[in-house]
């Protein structure tokens, strides 16, 4: 306790933390300078937990399912979500795009690169922003047909405006086709998408899924025009 401190104000700031900690099975340390005791307690708590992941045996259907998790042994307590969302491939792809947009986190095993082209004016003061997607052929699975190598990618697009808001993700399915006489592993497969956006957009993120291999990747780019 610090002499002269307004304890009612301190309680107002810590009550929410106490509620969240206790409701989630944790604990909160407040109004103490004994940091060694705090760290020892945290260490003991963390060392007593196991974090277990699992895959659903059912195919993803985009619906919420009730879950019950049981463990063998006495004296054990399990905490888990009562319901989980069985995300489809499209929903997972949208999650990857959001992660890249907000946190700039995500893998890029397909070597995806984004490039902005010159924006075009549209109605209601909006703009059409063409975005070029470059993917190394060596990273894709393209199947031969009569006269070309063909592949297909699913793309999820999300954008961030100047106020920090995002619109719902847009899903686009694109077909890749390279003539047989132009095919080589060192070639870059290119596709373009045209995004209708409002002025003030600051960042664009795309995630792609190779529909043949199932490999997913993501990348993001800041808008070139500060007025976008």
């Amino acid at each position: 306790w610090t002499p002269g401190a307004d304890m009612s104000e301190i309680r107002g700031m810590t009550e929410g933390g106490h509620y969240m900690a206790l409701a989630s099975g944790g604990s909160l340390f407040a109004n103490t300078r004994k940091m060694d005791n705090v760290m020892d307690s945290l260490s003991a708590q963390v060392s007593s937990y196991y974090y277990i992941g699992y895959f659903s045996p059912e195919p993803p259907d985009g619906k919420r399912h009730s879950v019950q998790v049981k463990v063998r042994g006495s004296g054990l307590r399990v905490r888990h979500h009562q319901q989980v969302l069985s995300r489809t491939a499209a929903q997972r792809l949208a999650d990857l795009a959001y992660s890249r947009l907000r946190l700039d986190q995500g893998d890029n095993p397909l070597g995806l690169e984004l490039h902005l082209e010159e924006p075009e004016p549209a109605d209601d003061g909006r703009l059409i922003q063409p975005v070029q997607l470059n993917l190394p052929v060596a990273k894709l699975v393209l199947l031969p047909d009569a006269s070309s190598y063909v592949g297909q990618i699913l793309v999820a697009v999300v954008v961030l405006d100047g106020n920090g808001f995002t619109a719902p993700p847009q899903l686009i399915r694109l077909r890749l086709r390279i003539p047989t006489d132009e095919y080589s592993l060192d070639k870059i497969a290119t596709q373009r998408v045209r995004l209708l956006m409002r002025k003030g957009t600051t960042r664009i993120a795309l995630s792609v899924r190779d529909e043949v291999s199932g490999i997913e990747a993501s990348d993001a780019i800041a808008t070139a025009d500060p007025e976008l």
Side-chain angles (χ1 to χ4, degrees):
W1 175 72
T2 301
D6 184 348
M7 298 307 296
S8 63
E9 181 180 353
I10 292 175
R11 282 194 297 271
M13 292 188 296
T14 59
E15 284 178 354
H18 277 291
Y19 174 80
M20 292 179 63
L22 295 175
S24 60
S27 57
L28 177 122
F29 301 91
N31 197 27
T32 180
R33 293 186 175 90
K34 298 179 180 180
M35 296 307 298
D36 288 343
N37 293 343
V38 173
M39 299 308 296
D40 289 343
S41 178
L42 288 174
S43 177
Q45 289 183 33
V46 173
S47 63
S48 68
Y49 281 78
Y50 290 96
Y51 296 91
I52 302 173
Y54 59 91
F55 288 100
S56 171
E58 303 296 331
D61 57 9
K63 299 179 181 179
R64 292 190 177 275
H65 297 268
S66 297
V67 174
Q68 186 176 19
V69 180
K70 298 180 179 180
V71 294
R72 295 179 179 177
S74 60
L76 301 176
R77 183 179 179 184
V78 181
R79 294 187 179 94
H80 62 87
H81 293 291
Q82 299 300 312
Q83 290 189 331
V84 295
L85 177 63
S86 179
R87 286 178 167 80
T88 64
Q91 289 171 328
R92 172 180 165 80
L93 202 62
D95 290 344
L96 293 177
Y98 276 125
S99 179
R100 178 66 75 174
L101 183 76
R102 290 286 189 176
L103 306 174
D104 201 21
Q105 296 292 320
D107 296 329
N108 191 5
L110 295 177
L112 171 67
E113 291 185 357
L114 305 179
H115 299 279
L116 298 180
E117 299 179 356
E118 191 69 23
E120 308 166 11
D123 296 336
D124 300 327
R126 294 181 292 180
L127 294 165
I128 296 175
Q129 175 62 68
V131 182
Q132 179 177 300
L133 289 69
N134 290 343
L135 293 158
V137 168
K139 304 285 188 178
L140 300 168
V141 177
L142 303 180
L143 303 177
D145 66 4
S147 59
S148 58
Y149 283 81
V150 179
Q152 187 163 277
I153 59 175
L154 181 63
V155 180
V157 183
V158 290
V159 298
L160 184 69
D161 69 17
N163 295 319
F165 296 111
T166 60
Q170 301 296 314
L171 294 174
I172 308 168
R173 182 166 274 106
L174 300 175
R175 194 168 183 83
L176 305 173
R177 183 179 295 275
I178 301 177
T180 301
D181 57 356
E182 299 178 11
Y183 176 84
S184 68
L185 292 179
D186 59 356
K187 189 177 181 64
I188 300 296
T190 299
Q191 272 286 5
R192 288 177 175 81
V193 295
R194 291 164 56 84
L195 307 178
L196 179 62
M197 303 187 308
R198 298 182 182 278
K199 290 184 178 180
T201 298
T202 60
R203 187 171 170 84
I204 302 168
L206 280 80
S207 56
V208 301
R209 182 178 190 270
D210 185 337
E211 296 275 63
V212 180
S213 69
I215 297 175
E216 297 166 333
S218 65
D219 194 19
I221 191 169
T223 57
D225 189 339
E227 294 186 358
L228 276 179

